[in-house]
Amino acid sequence: MQSTAHYLTPPVEVHALGLAVTGVGRIVGQRATRVDRALPGYAGVLVTEGAGSLALRGTPGRHAVSAGSFFWLPPGVPHTYGPNPGTWSEYWVLFEGPATGRYEDLGYLAAGPALVEPADPAGARAALDTLLELGSRPESLNSHVAAAATLQVLIAAVGTPYEAPRPATNPSLDIGRRALAVLARDAGGPVSISAVARELSVSRDTLATQVRRLTGSTPTDHLTRLRLNRAKGLLAFTDRSIADVARAVGYPDPAYFTRAFTRRIGVPPSTFRQQQRT
């Protein structure tokens, strides 16, 4: 067995940023099985070779693990995993921080199934390789901040259970993607969420569930963000009036557009335009 491990003690200032990496490693030819272990912080494991199983207390059954499988181990939850029979190879990362709860709220980390196939397998492995390299450096504020940033890249690469690769015919995933396409298509005009649901032959509740799974937002909130993104571009790169910009992105009432823009962006459209051109 070949093993590389780096344990880190991030400064409290880095921990306060939201995520802090406390360890990272790579094991080739792992034979041992972790039995009823519970960790004080989060862990993530990517199996790159071999096969075995995973059991998490509170999650029914034992899960078959194969090359390419990724699993999150939440803090304080006893778990048992390892190769069976033979050996496997794995990356592992340890981390903690107040942002873990927010990621769970969005469907990341251990908020989904115990075992997932990363949405971006190459990206997940590249992030772990980068974390290994960062862990080998002499500790510095910059290396800890870089590790925390790379951890966020890893979380995004693993994705939520709804972003992991699935058959193209999966009806739930297809509904969500089609809904996003319709919202993007119609964002410049009046949009009725009920009409979108009818076009896709689903209920409003189903539409809302699938859009939230892909975006973390309700259909209405996602539509608002689409419109505001387009408005920002028009404000920054054209001389069109505020009223014209409002109409172009789906707000026939310029006063309502100004209120919505100010509420979400923090400044009125005219101020945003001035900031981008200063």
Side-chain angles (χ1 to χ4, degrees), residues 225 227-240 242 245 249 257-258 260-278:
R225 290 189 287 112
R227 288 171 165 171
L228 294 181
N229 289 344
R230 293 179 181 180
K232 288 178 183 178
L234 292 173
L235 291 166
F237 296 109
T238 77
D239 293 321
R240 296 168 73 168
I242 302 299
V245 169
V249 300
F257 164 71
T258 296
F261 190 98
T262 304
R263 184 172 59 251
R264 294 295 295 266
I265 309 305
V267 296
S270 57
T271 302
F272 178 85
R273 168 173 276 167
Q274 183 178 10
Q275 290 173 340
Q276 299 305 306
R277 298 185 178 188
T278 300

Side-chain angles (χ1 to χ4, degrees), residues 119-209:
D120 178 5
R125 185 158 183 166
L128 286 161
D129 280 328
T130 299
L131 285 169
L132 272 176
E133 193 276 325
L134 289 168
S136 70
R137 297 181 186 178
E139 287 207 28
S140 67
L141 178 61
N142 189 63
S143 67
H144 283 295
V145 170
T150 304
L151 175 60
Q152 296 198 60
V153 173
L154 172 64
I155 292 171
V158 173
T160 69
Y162 310 106
E163 292 172 318
R166 299 182 178 201
T169 56
N170 182 284
S172 295
L173 191 63
D174 186 51
I175 289 168
R177 288 176 173 166
R178 287 166 59 204
L180 296 185
V182 172
L183 291 172
R185 180 195 71 194
D186 296 343
V191 176
S192 162
I193 302 304
S194 295
V196 174
R198 287 195 297 272
E199 179 176 340
L200 300 179
S201 301
V202 298
S203 68
R204 276 187 64 115
D205 287 346
T206 297
L207 178 73
T209 297

Side-chain angles (χ1 to χ4, degrees), residues 42 72 103-114 161-162:
Y42 246 106
W72 299 111
Y103 274 106
E104 290 175 358
D105 291 343
L106 292 171
Y108 292 84
L109 301 181
Y162 310 106

